[in-house]
Amino acid sequence: MRAVVAFIAGALGLVLAGEGVAATQPNNMLSTYDARYEVRRGGSDYGEAMRRLEQTAEGSYQLANETEISFLFLSDVRRYESTFDFTAEQVEPLNFSFKRSGTGRNKGIRVRFDADAQQVVDVEAEAPLPVTWHADLMDEASLLEQLRYDLAHSDETEFSYQIIDDKGANDQQRFRRMASETLKLPYGEVEAVKVERVRESKKRETIYWFAPELNYVLVKMQQRKEGDEVATLLLEQLN
């Protein structure tokens, strides 16, 4: 049985205007998309993932990332949502929520970004979180939209972002652009740029592949722990 996935939860990418054709976007805009992925582990089906980016009539962006994995009697369902503006080539988050359910303890968080007060506010408690505000602070879900845009619009090889994670805490995530590779995916064969998540510890490894011909949509992601595969995400379709 297939599920909706995601150890990926803050990680899927953007999309093109027409299938198989890269669409050029103005520097003050992001492409909207509906991307579907399958997740495998050890060559077997492990789940599915969906990530969708829409633009409101007011010009803001709404991002939804729904994930679910199912393995034997274990299940994990996660949903990340983010509303943000995109101004001067920079994501400016407005609202962020995360909800996890399934085997084990359920958890979640809803926050509001108050740029004027330079605070991240817990919506349920209506109180600011004890976090440090940064000029380019983002949430964990919208982070990948900024990374995808930066890969497409710069020649930089190193990227660093300050975020609020799904626990409501500060985190810094760093990435390194690597070489291009040809991938054979459920979607088809594509050329993709390999990007690694830079971590202090070598126990966990996360690698991303973004396809320039598809407006730098995320087409593959693999996570490994102590050398063993945790899960591999593969692009299945774009609408």
Side-chain angles (χ1 to χ4, degrees):
M1 180 181 69
R2 293 177 124 189
V4 191
V5 151
F7 67 88
I8 292 223
L12 308 176
L14 150 163
V15 79
L16 51 161
E19 184 161 325
V21 181
T24 302
Q25 293 294 319
N27 282 3
N28 63 341
M29 294 181 64
L30 297 171
S31 308
T32 57
Y33 63 91
D34 187 346
R36 307 284 167 156
Y37 301 80
E38 62 180 60
V39 173
R40 296 177 184 173
R41 182 178 182 181
S44 301
D45 288 347
Y46 196 48
E48 295 177 347
M50 174 277 290
R51 187 172 172 101
R52 181 174 61 247
L53 182 66
E54 301 175 313
Q55 191 170 21
T56 68
E58 293 75 24
S60 296
Y61 291 88
Q62 292 182 331
L63 175 66
N65 185 175
E66 188 172 353
T67 70
E68 183 180 316
I69 58 176
S70 179
F71 181 68
L72 299 177
F73 56 87
L74 302 176
S75 66
D76 187 277
V77 182
R78 298 173 185 239
R79 184 173 180 85
Y80 291 75
E81 294 183 338
S82 175
T83 303
F84 61 90
D85 290 330
F86 189 73
T87 307
E89 304 183 82
Q90 178 66 43
V91 166
E92 298 178 350
L94 302 172
N95 299 282
F96 168 64
S97 65
F98 163 70
K99 183 177 181 180
R100 186 269 175 195
S101 60
T103 305
R105 184 172 62 90
N106 296 340
K107 57 184 178 179
I109 190 172
R110 291 174 60 211
V111 301
R112 180 177 72 252
F113 288 76
D114 187 337
D116 292 334
Q118 297 190 349
Q119 293 179 336
V120 181
V121 180
D122 184 314
V123 173
E124 185 173 342
E126 198 54 43
L129 296 175
V131 298
T132 302
W133 183 270
H134 297 274
D136 297 328
L137 189 65
M138 290 178 283
D139 60 74
E140 187 166 358
S142 62
L143 161 66
L144 201 70
E145 300 302 323
Q146 186 69 56
L147 175 59
R148 187 276 313 169
Y149 183 89
D150 291 344
L151 286 169
H153 291 85
S154 80
D155 295 325
E156 298 292 329
T157 57
E158 303 280 342
F159 305 91
S160 179
Y161 305 105
Q162 294 286 344
I163 70 164
I164 297 298
D165 64 19
D166 57 22
K167 300 178 182 65
N170 284 110
D171 189 20
Q172 181 183 39
Q173 293 193 12
R174 296 186 296 131
F175 302 86
R176 180 180 296 119
R177 187 201 305 253
M178 302 175 74
S180 295
E181 298 179 353
T182 301
L183 304 178
K184 293 184 178 180
L185 307 167
Y187 175 82
E189 186 174 292
V190 297
E191 290 288 327
V193 177
K194 187 177 181 180
V195 178
E196 69 170 343
R197 168 88 181 272
V198 180
R199 301 178 185 270
E200 293 183 4
S201 172
K202 299 299 183 181
K203 291 184 178 181
R204 294 177 61 195
E205 180 183 26
T206 307
I207 305 293
Y208 306 80
W209 286 262
F210 298 87
E213 65 192 80
L214 303 180
N215 256 359
Y216 285 83
V217 61
L218 178 74
V219 295
K220 180 180 178 180
M221 176 180 173
Q222 185 174 73
Q223 191 171 68
R224 305 181 71 86
K225 185 175 181 180
E226 297 180 340
D228 295 327
E229 180 187 23
V230 175
T232 300
L233 179 108
L234 303 168
L235 181 66
E236 188 172 24
Q237 67 180 57
L238 292 171
N239 296 312

